[in-house]
Amino acid sequence: MEINNGLEIHHDGDLPARSGMGSSSSFIVGLLNALYALKGKRVTKKRLALESIEIEQNLIKETVGSQDQVAAAFGGLNHIIFKENGEIDVNPITVSVRRSDELNSNLMLFYTGIIRTASDIAQSYVPDILRKEKLLYKMHDMVDDSITILHGKNSIEDFGILLNETWQAKRQLSGKVTNPIVDDFYERALKKGALGGKITGAGGGGFLLLFVPPNAQVQVRKELSELLHVPFRFDFTGSKIIAYEPHLDEFSNIDKVPDNNCAGRFGERSTI
């Protein structure tokens, strides 16, 4: 970024790292956005996403995907298409506010307390990924199915049933996607009324997202009482600058003026 003056950076996260919530990508997207603002530049959300992908995948060399960076930069409900030539198309899911709120009200998020590193889980997909082509195509087709459900007028519960199918498919990608503890939480939730769910992110631990009809949510919360329930709302703004005061550094040039009489200038005088 060619920033040569001193910086003081504070990072506050509402959710823990290594939990499948895209925290690393959110951090990089937010940091880039802030640094561009510091230089007086406003860049597109797409540029933020692409440069964050470059940093994570090629500079830091993490084995991570490209969806978290896009989600953090753009916000909202999107159909993200990754093309073979490297291009990324982000198409907003245009559903009514009522339908969006209906989906949101049926989703519950629980923290399992299991810490894992996404790149380690994702790396376990890679060795035999070509042998799972049929499975990947099946998961790909479910994207269109989910969009059809959101745009349709049938019960939103069809989305929960589809979510269960996607989880059953995803867990076949690698033995590290799930574990006996996660499976136990998931099965207990299903018995109390959940229709589907998944471990967020690469898998292995972190947060468990469940589709639970409102009339069953109290029972599911009681059943999973040892887990932290985290209420949430969809965000449609993506990365944004919430405070910008460009003149705070207007006195920085003072340091360039030679001044040899600086010793003790903040010392206290014993007498006046």
Side-chain angles (χ1 to χ4, degrees), residues 106-270:
N106 279 271
L107 296 175
M108 302 182 75
L109 193 64
F110 293 90
Y111 182 49
T112 67
I114 303 173
I115 298 174
R116 86 292 179 277
T117 302
S119 59
D120 293 341
I121 306 298
Q123 185 66 45
S124 68
Y125 302 167
V126 176
D128 60 345
I129 194 71
L130 294 179
R131 290 191 297 170
K132 297 171 182 174
E133 184 177 15
K134 185 176 180 180
L135 177 63
L136 293 173
Y137 273 114
K138 179 180 179 181
M139 295 174 68
H140 178 272
D141 291 340
M142 290 178 179
V143 174
D144 292 330
D145 294 340
S146 66
I147 295 174
T148 299
I149 292 172
L150 292 178
H151 283 154
K153 296 182 179 180
N154 292 337
S155 173
I156 195 67
E157 292 186 358
D158 290 343
F159 193 95
I161 296 171
L162 181 64
L163 192 59
N164 179 58
E165 294 180 19
T166 65
W167 173 240
Q168 300 307 327
K170 181 176 180 176
R171 56 188 291 141
Q172 297 179 51
L173 288 175
S174 164
K176 291 186 177 182
V177 170
T178 188
N179 55 60
I181 297 176
V182 169
D183 289 342
D184 178 63
F185 290 144
Y186 188 74
E187 292 301 322
R188 285 163 56 190
L190 291 183
K191 290 179 180 179
K192 293 299 180 179
L195 299 181
K198 68 186 292 290
I199 285 291
T200 59
F207 279 85
L208 177 63
L209 178 70
L210 295 170
F211 186 101
V212 187
N215 60 6
Q217 291 185 5
V218 172
Q219 297 93 302
V220 170
R221 284 192 64 180
K222 288 181 178 179
E223 180 63 29
L224 302 181
S225 59
E226 71 266 45
L227 303 183
L228 176 65
H229 172 233
V230 182
F232 69 93
R233 298 291 298 173
F234 294 148
D235 170 77
F236 291 88
T237 57
S239 182
K240 60 182 177 182
I241 303 298
I242 60 174
Y244 180 59
E245 301 181 55
H247 299 298
L248 288 180
D249 64 342
E250 60 188 6
F251 301 113
S252 59
N253 287 332
I254 292 178
D255 291 336
K256 298 178 182 179
V257 179
D259 184 359
N260 297 322
N261 187 27
C262 62
R265 74 173 53 162
F266 280 109
E268 295 183 358
R269 301 179 187 276
S270 58

Side-chain angles (χ1 to χ4, degrees), residues 76-88:
L77 300 176
N78 301 296
H79 181 197
I80 307 171
I81 301 173
F82 302 93
K83 297 183 177 180
E84 291 184 7
N85 62 2
E87 285 292 315
I88 300 176

